[in-house]
Amino acid sequence: MASSLARAVRDFSKELFKTTKHISVWKTSSAKLIQVKEKDALFADFRSALMLECGWKQEQACRHREANTFSSVCVMADQLLCSIVEWARTSIFFKELKVSDQMRLLHSCWSELLVLEIISRQVLYGIDGSLLLITGQQGELSYVASHAGSALVSLNQRGTELVEKLRMLKVDHQEFACIRFLILFAPDVKELEEHHFVESVQQQVEGALLKYTLTSSSQSCNRFTCLQLYLSELRSLSILAEDYLYYKHLSGEVPCNNLLNEMLHAKCCWT
């Protein structure tokens, strides 16, 4: 009985030792597995943090490039606006208006005149993919497109398409001059004191443009209609451009103390 009991205890001890050894091995393996998993988790967290950091830096770099590009656009737009105002101030008919009417007309159409100036420079003087600046230098539009945001890229694309249409039509200096006056003398501007005079000038300019297209082109009727259609496209494009600049103005990204800021501030006061 005693020997049987001793043998049972011995057998139990062996089994207990095996079980304990198995548990010990399992615990050791589990601990190692846990350590590996913890290391993997730490590495994954580090990798995620690194990717976020890289993404943040790339985003900041992109924003920085876009901000520099927009600053260049602002400088160019302000220079062109100054030349436009100087042209209007000394031009026939416009200088006969009261100062209050001059201001109303310019505040109403400055973005159209600005877009027209950019597009006409490309049509008349520009090389494909570039813009003739006030300084006489050529600005690379591809550079603007590669460093700008989606809104500016879209504006550039639509402007390029309009440039191609006007080039195909071979619009010349005289026609652009007429279009400039048609934009400036807009009788639908509110609160004009000399509304009839403005309306009369626009009618005279329309007549002069029609007469010019009749004598300069064999497809004169089509040409005059095309010019009117393209003027409508230009107006739509100028609205988008002004909205884009206005958004940047509200964000504080337009430099202060310049003519562009003044025009956008006037829009802010109207809305």
Side-chain angles (χ1 to χ4, degrees):
M1 182 71 178
S3 61
S4 299
L5 180 60
R7 190 167 49 252
V9 170
R10 188 171 59 249
D11 292 341
F12 175 75
S13 297
K14 287 180 181 179
E15 291 299 322
L16 180 62
F17 175 76
K18 289 179 181 178
T19 304
T20 303
K21 185 178 180 181
H22 177 73
I23 291 173
S24 177
V25 171
W26 179 82
K27 285 184 176 179
T28 303
S29 300
S30 297
K32 289 181 179 178
L33 183 61
I34 290 170
Q35 287 179 349
V36 170
K37 287 184 176 180
E38 287 178 347
K39 287 180 180 179
D40 287 344
L42 287 172
F43 177 74
D45 290 342
F46 173 74
R47 185 173 58 183
S48 298
L50 186 62
M51 290 176 67
L52 287 173
E53 176 71 12
C54 290
W56 180 80
K57 286 183 178 179
Q58 288 176 352
E59 182 182 354
Q60 291 298 107
C62 181
R63 288 182 179 179
H64 182 68
R65 288 196 301 270
E66 184 178 347
N68 286 338
T69 303
F70 183 70
S71 296
S72 301
V73 170
C74 282
V75 171
M76 180 191 71
D78 188 64
Q79 290 176 344
L80 289 175
L81 272 177
C82 289
S83 69
I84 288 168
V85 170
E86 181 61 23
W87 162 79
R89 189 179 64 82
T90 58
S91 66
I92 188 172
F93 301 131
F94 191 80
K95 59 186 179 182
E96 299 177 22
L97 290 168
K98 294 181 180 179
V99 174
S100 58
D101 279 355
Q102 290 180 359
M103 295 296 292
R104 288 187 182 96
L105 289 173
L106 282 173
H107 280 149
S108 173
C109 71
W110 67 267
S111 61
E112 290 179 53
L113 289 174
L114 177 61
V115 173
L116 176 67
E117 186 69 16
I118 293 171
I119 285 178
S120 65
R121 282 172 174 269
Q122 287 181 259
V123 173
L124 297 173
Y125 315 110
I127 303 170
D128 285 344
S130 65
L131 170 66
L132 181 67
L133 304 177
I134 291 282
T135 59
Q137 296 175 314
Q138 293 282 346
E140 292 296 326
L141 294 175
S142 58
Y143 174 83
V144 174
S146 63
H147 292 77
S150 57
L152 195 55
V153 170
S154 177
L155 284 171
N156 179 53
Q157 183 178 354
R158 290 190 59 175
T160 301
E161 291 171 358
L162 183 54
V163 167
E164 290 304 313
K165 292 177 182 178
L166 293 171
R167 277 180 177 168
M168 288 182 65
L169 195 61
K170 296 182 179 179
V171 180
D172 59 24
H173 290 272
Q174 287 80 4
E175 288 165 329
F176 274 123
C178 288
I179 292 171
R180 190 177 290 114
F181 273 99
L182 287 176
I183 291 172
L184 181 61
F185 287 88
D188 57 340
V189 174
K190 296 180 180 178
E191 299 180 2
L192 287 174
E193 294 183 44
E194 298 181 76
H195 174 270
H196 293 297
F197 177 74
V198 172
E199 189 175 39
S200 172
V201 171
Q202 189 182 70
Q203 290 173 353
Q204 290 181 57
V205 174
E206 279 186 342
L209 179 59
L210 177 59
K211 184 178 180 179
Y212 180 79
T213 57
L214 285 171
T215 57
S216 64
S217 173
S218 59
Q219 297 178 334
S220 53
C221 292
N222 276 341
R223 186 175 185 83
F224 184 74
T225 302
C226 285
L227 288 173
Q228 289 180 315
L229 289 174
Y230 295 155
L231 177 56
S232 178
E233 282 189 39
L234 185 140
R235 282 174 173 150
S236 298
L237 184 59
S238 72
I239 291 172
L240 294 176
E242 186 173 345
D243 286 343
Y244 172 75
L245 291 170
Y246 183 58
Y247 169 76
K248 293 293 184 179
H249 169 71
L250 293 179
S251 303
E253 298 179 53
V254 177
C256 299
N257 303 321
N258 61 21
L259 185 58
L260 175 62
N261 186 74
E262 179 185 328
M263 292 297 189
L264 292 168
H265 182 69
K267 176 182 175 69
C268 185
C269 293
W270 294 344
T271 55

